[in-house]
Amino acid sequence: MKPIPVKISSVGTHVPDRIVTNDDLSLTLDTSDEWISTRSGIRERRIAADDQAASDLGAVAAARALEAAGVRPSELDLIITASLSPDMLFPATASFISGKIGADGVPAFDLSAACTGFIYALATGSAFIASGQAEKVLVVGADVVSKMIDWTDRSTAVLFGDGAGAVLLEPAESEQEGILGFDLGNDPSGAGLLSLAAGGSRLPASRETVESGGHFISMNGREVYKFAARIIVSSARKLLGETGYGVDEVDLFVPHQANIRIIDAAAGKLGIPPERVFTNLERYGNTSCASIPLCIDEAVLTGRLGATAGVQGKNPDGSGRSESGSNKLVLMVGFGGGLSWGSCLARTGDIKRIQE
Ligand code: ACO
């Protein structure tokens, strides 16, 4: 059976109201705006309220994506949520999101692949549609990493922010406007480089795990940096090669928003000019599974993707690529704990979002 082509038909996002700037952090941590912005590119991030969990952000993003597409929650065939900061170990955050948006009866499950979770969830949702098992799949990336951070540890506290993004996947009319392929991978030898060690079945919660900081994210930043800069390039090249596209055909490169130096190094190595690289980490930090859909949403909002794309005129580099919003070639690349990685190449047509 020929796979059914799959498209991203709408996007919705939500971030908490509270903005925490680098200067705010330097009031309680031995750090500075200068260090954080030059080492990471981050200037501020959104931080969830005490009573906000991943499903609270994810449900708003999900409802927005559905409203934009004109799809009722009951019409969904599947909800997949990617998160490294789920509401609970179980039940799934997708189940809470389902309850909040009124999707009773719709299958809902979580997927754990750290910051690569959104791309893995996109691949999983696409496979359900491609195989004919589903027609409307909601993929939600929702993270409140601020709840998993040791706020006295300057090496991690300055990097992360909270947010959520959701996309609706549906069958595409033709392969020309759909998802063209994925490259997914994992290197288990790096599992210890980025983790939240306690609270699972390996190290159940105890006084010792609390006192030793086992319930906080720990990271070997330098090693993760090297891995990310290398894997973005190799995964993107592999996917472009397998799908038969050249890097010069990529209209928009949307990498996971972890560090501007990682993004610049990878884009430079790939030969993608800055005007075709999407970044917003200066305002959100690393929002983990939400970072790529937050970029997609903003790219549609600003006319770089979707129905209105191109209204702002020619491509900045003056190249002959399509000026119309439809059929933009988008390369998304995620990476994170695992150590995992995932790329997705898609032709995006009219991605709908609600006007706020
Ligand atoms: N403020 C001031 N100084 C700091 C801070 C801070 N917030 N954090 C660390 N430093 C100090 C260190 O203590 C060190 O001091 P020393 O030289 O006296 O020992 C110095 O700055 C340099 O530290 P490095 O770790 O070498 O700094 P580096 O340039 O590597 O940048 C960073 C650190 C930003 C963490 C970088 O390594 C990085 O971005 N790594 C990738 C992280 C990442 O992408 N994580 C997310 C993965 S996705 C997921 O699944 C969650």
Side-chain angles (χ1 to χ4, degrees), residues 261-331:
R261 292 186 298 145
I262 294 174
I263 294 172
D264 287 348
K269 237 178 174 177
L270 284 166
I272 302 178
E275 62 274 14
R276 283 192 245 156
V277 180
F278 198 93
T279 60
N280 60 14
L281 83 173
E282 63 277 11
R283 281 174 284 120
Y284 297 118
N286 178 350
T287 55
S288 186
C289 294
S291 86
I292 289 177
L294 278 172
C295 289
I296 297 291
D297 187 45
E298 197 172 319
V300 176
L301 174 70
T302 54
R304 294 176 75 178
L305 286 180
T308 55
V311 293
Q312 292 165 358
K314 284 183 183 298
N315 292 317
D317 63 358
S319 71
R321 293 185 320 281
S322 155
E323 281 174 36
S324 128
S326 47
N327 294 331
K328 290 273 182 187
L329 190 65
V330 183
L331 174 62

Side-chain angles (χ1 to χ4, degrees), residues 191-203:
L193 295 175
L194 180 52
S195 65
L196 195 160
S201 56
R202 176 65 57 199
L203 277 178

Side-chain angles (χ1 to χ4, degrees), residues 198-200 203-210 215:
L203 277 178
S206 66
R207 179 186 292 271
E208 288 71 34
T209 62
V210 170
H215 297 273

Side-chain angles (χ1 to χ4, degrees), residues 40 84 129 177 182 236 308 314-315 320 336:
S40 72
L84 63 71
I129 295 177
E177 67 159 21
F182 289 94
T308 55
K314 284 183 183 298
N315 292 317

Side-chain angles (χ1 to χ4, degrees), residues 39-129:
R39 299 283 180 133
S40 72
I42 298 162
R43 294 196 171 273
E44 60 187 43
R45 71 284 295 143
R46 301 299 182 104
I47 299 295
D50 289 347
D51 62 354
Q52 272 178 321
S55 72
D56 298 312
L57 304 184
V60 178
R64 288 181 171 167
L66 290 180
E67 187 187 336
V71 168
R72 289 189 303 277
S74 59
E75 291 179 79
L76 288 171
D77 297 308
L78 180 62
I79 302 170
I80 308 173
T81 298
S83 182
L84 63 71
S85 49
D87 288 27
M88 301 176 187
L89 270 181
F90 75 90
T93 299
S95 175
F96 294 116
I97 291 175
S98 169
K100 288 177 205 291
I101 65 173
D104 291 11
V106 176
F109 68 88
D110 283 4
L111 187 153
S112 169
C115 292
T116 321
F118 181 76
I119 298 288
Y120 268 67
L122 212 53
T124 308
S126 296
F128 270 87
I129 295 177

